[in-house]
Amino acid sequence: MTVERALPTPEAHDLIQLTRELVAKEVAPRAAADEAAGRFPREVFATLGAAGLLGLPYPEEYGGAAQPQEVYLQVVEELAAGWLAVGLGTSVHTLSCFPLAAYGSEEQKAGLLPGMLGGDLLGAYCLSEPQSGSDAAALTTRAVPGPDGYTVDGVKAWITHGGVADFYLLMARTGEPGARGVSCLYVPAGAEGLSSGTPEHKMGMRSSPTAQVRFDGVRLPHDALVGAEGEGFRIAMAALDGGRLGIAACAVGVAQAALDAASAYARERRQFGSRIVDFQGVSFMLADMATQVAAARALYLDAARLRDAGRPYGTRAAMAKLFATDACMKVTTDAVQVLGGYGYVEDFPVERYMREAKVLQIVEGTNQIQRLVIGRALAQERPGP
């Protein structure tokens, strides 16, 4: 089913149409085979960059498209519906560009952003570590300042695009324990002492490499620092607020794809002389799935519009990530049930959607962390949106 979208401008309609054409020609046809083989589609990201889809929310002067979050996120949703590895990869790359775009110097922006936004450079975001995931402020990777710059030692874990990225936005400790001692650094992939581990063998998203990234005496110049020393944790949290909306959009895309597959199957499959879509048990299940998808889409778009208006949106982003990813897990599970035995085999895509859905409840802050964020906002005297 083609999703009817309320878009703010004719240009936004053109972007969605372009995205749908690219998904139909370049993305969806190869998803199943590449996932089965664990192939990373680097050339797809180059195609998206050439089409202008990797820099949508960033300024035109640096190669972006200056599109509102409301539009950018719907592009991500369309990409994820075709192939989650591409939709989530686009979201992670956009997240990796945020620290430099929002906090970088003019020299950094002019020198690096055009390649990042044009697709020549693919990014990764390095915050989590083997012993600090949800407790990100406890990170131990250290960047020791010296007369010539910084020397970095440590290990980052669960890094999307680890080992294939062209640059890494690194959160490392430059000062005291806790959040105030963290700084943000730009690390090119060719830096001496930088290496990656064997990609994790994952339940889903096998085309998207997830690996440890190791820093063994990596030397960085002073101008690798993004923002001020000690500002890294604030940068990281600001980036994650936006990243959570990207994950919510990905979840809606996967859920929509699962709903479409289940609905199409139910209209064709006949049992006891009738289409199974005409049985109340199946039609009610599909109705609930469609309602969850629509509600999740409305919630992430509401948060995006708050961000576009310059209003606080962090709590609403946590709500969107929580609801959309839980809904995606439920919708994809129900899609497998609608297809019955066929839903459990790789001949049909819903088994892949179900496996992929699970990771969305974990990345960019687990859904338990989202509940913590929302609960803390409710505990305040005047909680934000």
Side-chain angles (χ1 to χ4, degrees):
M1 181 181 75
T2 300
V3 177
E4 294 293 330
R5 299 189 181 277
L7 295 163
T9 63
E11 183 182 8
H13 283 277
D14 292 343
L15 279 170
I16 292 295
Q17 185 58 39
L18 171 63
T19 303
R20 287 173 174 169
E21 291 172 2
L22 286 173
V23 167
K25 294 177 183 177
E26 307 287 344
V27 177
R30 59 185 291 178
D34 280 8
E35 282 292 328
R39 285 190 293 265
F40 176 62
R42 179 64 179 88
E43 64 276 17
V44 171
F45 291 99
T47 299
L48 296 180
L53 299 183
L54 289 186
L56 288 177
Y58 295 117
E60 291 177 307
E61 64 184 299
Y62 301 117
Q67 288 296 309
Q69 290 287 315
E70 174 187 2
V71 174
Y72 153 68
L73 290 168
Q74 292 186 78
V75 168
V76 170
E77 181 194 328
E78 293 280 348
L79 292 171
W83 189 359
L84 179 59
V86 173
L88 188 139
T90 300
S91 177
V92 167
H93 174 75
T94 304
L95 166 70
S96 303
C97 296
F98 171 82
L100 203 142
Y103 295 88
S105 67
E106 287 305 314
E107 292 77 13
Q108 287 173 324
K109 293 177 184 178
L112 296 171
L113 274 182
M116 295 160 71
L117 303 184
D120 295 332
L121 302 175
L122 186 68
Y125 180 78
C126 294
L127 177 62
S128 294
E129 296 182 1
Q131 303 303 322
S132 69
S134 296
D135 185 10
L139 64 85
T140 59
T141 295
R142 182 165 290 277
V144 179
D148 299 323
Y150 297 89
T151 302
V152 184
D153 289 282
V155 178
K156 293 294 181 178
W158 310 112
I159 305 304
T160 300
H161 300 159
V164 300
D166 300 296
F167 69 90
Y168 298 86
L169 260 294
L170 169 68
M171 304 302 160
R173 188 162 305 285
T174 55
E176 63 188 87
R180 289 185 293 181
V182 176
S183 297
C184 180
L185 297 154
Y186 174 90
V187 186
E192 186 176 354
L194 175 67
S195 63
S196 61
T198 302
E200 306 289 351
H201 298 284
K202 305 193 300 289
M203 179 189 298
M205 285 251 297
R206 294 167 182 165
S207 289
S208 177
T210 304
Q212 289 191 350
V213 177
R214 304 183 182 112
F215 301 83
D216 184 11
V218 174
R219 302 293 299 274
L220 299 173
H222 286 295
D223 62 7
L225 180 68
V226 179
E229 277 198 10
E231 196 176 20
F233 192 77
R234 184 164 70 90
I235 294 173
M237 294 301 103
L240 285 177
D241 280 343
R244 285 165 181 164
L245 290 182
I247 298 303
C250 285
V252 173
V254 173
Q256 182 70 58
L259 170 63
D260 291 347
S263 298
Y265 180 87
R267 289 192 295 268
E268 295 294 327
R269 177 70 168 172
R270 301 185 71 87
Q271 292 288 279
F272 306 104
S274 299
R275 303 182 306 168
I276 66 170
V277 73
D278 296 320
F279 297 140
Q280 192 176 77
V282 174
S283 68
F284 279 14
M285 185 181 295
L286 292 170
D288 286 345
M289 292 161 67
T291 301
Q292 288 174 299
V293 173
R297 181 179 293 115
L299 187 52
Y300 90 65
L301 286 174
D302 180 61
R305 289 168 185 142
L306 284 173
R307 183 179 182 180
D308 288 333
R311 297 175 58 189
Y313 74 98
T315 303
R316 197 67 56 86
M319 291 177 178
K321 195 273 183 183
L322 168 64
F323 184 85
T325 58
D326 280 354
C328 183
M329 192 74 249
K330 180 68 165 63
V331 167
T332 55
T333 301
D334 286 348
V336 170
Q337 192 70 21
V338 169
L339 271 69
Y342 292 112
Y344 200 67
V345 297
E346 293 183 3
D347 303 54
F348 292 80
V350 292
E351 65 85 28
R352 174 165 61 86
Y353 299 150
M354 181 178 170
R355 288 187 287 106
E356 290 175 339
K358 186 62 209 175
V359 75
L360 298 174
Q361 295 178 302
I362 299 170
V363 296
E364 307 284 6
T366 66
N367 282 7
Q368 286 67 38
I369 289 295
Q370 307 313 313
R371 289 177 170 91
L372 184 64
V373 169
I374 298 163
R376 284 176 175 171
L378 293 171
Q380 295 173 3
E381 184 177 356
R382 294 192 179 112

